[in-house]
Amino acid sequence: MTSDRVLGILAVVMGAGMAAMSWGYVAQVEYEPVGPRAFPLLLAGLISLCGLWLVFKPSHRAHFGSAMQMRSVALCGLFVVLYAVLFQVLGFVIATALMSIPVGRIFGGSWKQSVLTGIGMGLVLFVLFDTLLDVVLPAGILKPLLTAIGL
């Protein structure tokens, strides 16, 4: 079995899971005819279709990576899952920094580069989403500090 087919099967399973989870999304008051479940269902459908494409039309040049590459992919997946778990508790800035630092190290960054990039990415993206795009992100344990500086 090629790596394309494995990825395709995983994408179909993930799309089915997304569809099952988002099916229950119901807004208490709906202003739009499509409701809140339309976007995740659309994404689930697209992910599933792309997965089916990979299952039935795999590339003959695709192959599994080395054990070291697979370890790196698994570690990145683990850090993304931890990011999702810690997102509400610690807040966007700290969770993003804590996820970005080890992922930066996995991609070959030095400790200095990874720490500076992780902290900078957490702060810059928070300010971008909060002030420019007006998207509310969880402040977490930094809420008193962010409130004091007007964010």
Side-chain angles (χ1 to χ4, degrees):
M1 185 180 289
T2 66
S3 59
D4 280 6
R5 285 200 168 123
V6 172
L7 179 63
I9 291 169
L10 290 175
V12 170
V13 169
M14 188 174 85
M18 283 179 62
M21 291 178 64
S22 62
W23 190 257
Y25 289 172
V26 178
Q28 293 177 355
V29 178
E30 292 189 22
Y31 299 104
E32 301 170 1
V34 293
R37 74 175 95 167
F39 185 69
L41 284 176
L42 178 66
L43 283 179
L46 287 173
I47 289 171
S48 296
L49 286 175
C50 291
L52 288 173
W53 177 266
L54 288 174
V55 169
F56 293 111
K57 292 282 189 181
S59 170
H60 296 290
R61 292 177 290 165
H63 58 84
F64 286 101
S66 67
M68 192 63 157
Q69 290 170 328
M70 299 305 281
R71 179 182 163 270
S72 296
V73 169
L75 282 173
C76 284
L78 173 69
F79 289 124
V80 170
V81 169
L82 288 175
Y83 177 67
V85 170
L86 297 175
F87 187 75
Q88 285 291 332
V89 177
L90 297 178
F92 179 82
V93 175
I94 292 176
T96 300
L98 289 178
M99 186 268 303
S100 301
I101 293 168
V103 170
R105 292 284 299 155
I106 290 170
F107 279 95
S110 68
W111 275 106
K112 182 180 176 183
Q113 292 169 330
S114 299
V115 169
L116 290 176
T117 302
I119 293 171
M121 199 162 77
L123 288 171
V124 169
L125 289 176
F126 185 84
V127 170
L128 175 73
F129 277 98
D130 188 65
T131 59
L132 296 178
L133 300 175
D134 206 23
V135 174
V136 178
L137 294 172
I141 58 176
L142 292 180
K143 187 172 186 171
L145 175 67
L146 294 172
T147 303
I149 60 174
L151 292 174

